[in-house]
Amino acid sequence: MGDNVILVGFMGAGKSSVGRLLARRLGRCFVETDDMITAQEGRSIPQIFAQRGEAHFRALEDEAMRLLALKSGDVIATGGGLPCRDGRPQALRALGTVVWLRGDFDVVYERAQRAGARPMLAGRGRDEIEALYRAREPYYRQADVTIDTTGVNPDQVVSTLLLALHDRLSLSPLGRGQGEGAR
Ligand code: S3P
């Protein structure tokens, strides 16, 4: 198994803010699959959806997934839909410890609407988004670790997460894997 930490969860779950903080606390690099895709394509996620459609975006996620195999020791935030294909949860777990940032639907829905341009929300009503959330839950649920983010701020999520990850990552007091300091 790889030694990355991979954050999964619905839009608005807090993957970016928690991931950035977690990476800082662990002294690791932070990578977002959406950033890999926008850097590679030279356009934003809304532009990719508008100009090439969702199917093209999902193909770019497949490519990002292949590139993730080259990562080690990173904190990786995935786009909300990336883990939700058959075989994906297993493929992600092969890259490291997968963490589901779970939140009550109403809370993540409200957060997702507030921040960022999200093409998956455009033109869809609340019920449709809730159906998407429910359809995705079985994929997220296959994570190694689940952290409930409802009513908790990113700092608190990171503290809980560090405790949960402690044994898995064999953390030294400095946060890096044991043995690395001996090199
Ligand atoms: C998507 C979530 C987005 C981004 C794209 C599609 C989805 O990422 O990958 O707009 O299908 O849920 P966030 O989860 O960071 O919003």
Side-chain angles (χ1 to χ4, degrees):
M1 188 191 86
D3 61 353
N4 302 287
V5 177
I6 302 121
L7 304 178
V8 302
F10 203 68
M11 295 169 273
K15 298 172 301 255
S16 302
S17 36
V18 167
R20 203 166 292 119
L21 275 175
L22 179 69
R24 201 180 305 149
R25 293 277 291 273
L26 291 172
R28 294 183 173 207
C29 291
F30 178 55
V31 178
E32 296 204 63
T33 57
D34 281 351
D35 287 347
M36 292 166 68
I37 290 170
T38 52
Q40 160 120 12
E41 286 288 288
R43 30 185 173 183
S44 69
I45 303 282
Q47 282 171 338
I48 295 169
F49 270 75
Q51 294 165 9
R52 306 293 305 273
E54 182 181 348
H56 180 71
F57 175 75
R58 299 300 169 199
L60 295 172
E61 285 191 322
D62 292 344
E63 179 57 24
M65 198 54 216
R66 276 189 285 279
L67 294 174
L68 288 185
L70 305 172
K71 308 269 176 212
S72 83
D74 290 351
V75 174
I76 299 165
T78 57
L82 182 138
C84 306
R85 292 186 177 206
D86 291 342
R88 245 330 131 63
Q90 293 79 358
L92 287 172
R93 286 176 66 170
L95 300 175
T97 302
V98 179
V99 177
W100 177 20
L101 297 182
R102 208 204 75 80
D104 288 349
F105 174 71
D106 288 324
V107 175
V108 294
Y109 180 59
E110 200 261 316
R111 270 198 233 132
Q113 280 190 313
R114 213 180 329 132
R118 292 194 161 97
M120 290 299 288
L121 298 181
R124 290 189 168 92
R126 187 191 175 286
D127 287 354
E128 226 177 317
I129 300 297
E130 180 161 12
L132 183 65
Y133 176 89
R134 301 286 165 220
R136 287 177 170 185
E137 270 183 323
Y139 294 96
Y140 299 145
R141 198 173 285 128
Q142 294 177 55
D144 300 294
V145 176
T146 297
I147 304 284
D148 204 318
T149 66
T150 309
V152 184
N153 70 38
D155 263 323
Q156 294 166 313
V157 173
V158 169
S159 300
T160 309
L161 190 45
L162 282 170
L163 284 177
L165 291 175
H166 198 273
D167 292 338
R168 288 178 169 271
L169 299 182
S170 306
L171 294 179
S172 70
L174 287 176
R176 297 292 299 191
Q178 276 170 8
E180 291 184 21
R183 270 188 230 136

